[in-house]
Amino acid sequence: MIPTIIWFILLYALVAALGGVMGYIKAQSTMSLISGLVSGIALTIAWYVSLQNPLVGLAIATIIALVLLGVFVMRFRSTSKFMPAGLMAILSLAATVLFAIGWITASGSSS
């Protein structure tokens, strides 16, 4: 189960990065581009760390997903637009829960 969850970190990193690129293409939002790429890179680092040490990598990924959840919930509340803020809030919630489950599982198996 943990190896599968670790690969979802990389998938979520790709979605975050591509979302930033799409935000730049559609709305000329440099901030979307920067935040999407930074989030994608940070999640890719978490994925790499997870390959070496799942407990640490999954903890990092959970924190990043939780921060992104907060950002997208605030954006959704201010814009009331499902795309992209609402969709990314839902994806971030799912990622947070999945990565937290992986982290809890990894912490149980390392003791």
Side-chain angles (χ1 to χ4, degrees), residues 34-94:
I34 292 169
S35 60
L37 292 177
V38 167
S39 299
I41 290 168
L43 285 160
T44 302
I45 291 168
W47 167 77
Y48 182 76
V49 170
S50 294
L51 296 175
Q52 315 304 314
N53 185 339
L55 188 61
V56 173
L58 285 162
I60 294 168
T62 302
I63 292 166
I64 295 168
L66 188 59
V67 168
L68 289 174
L69 173 61
V71 167
F72 287 114
V73 165
M74 288 190 300
R75 280 194 193 155
F76 180 71
R77 289 183 65 189
S78 68
T79 65
S80 298
K81 293 181 181 177
F82 182 72
M83 288 298 290
L87 177 63
M88 284 305 295
I90 291 169
L91 289 174
S92 296
L93 175 61

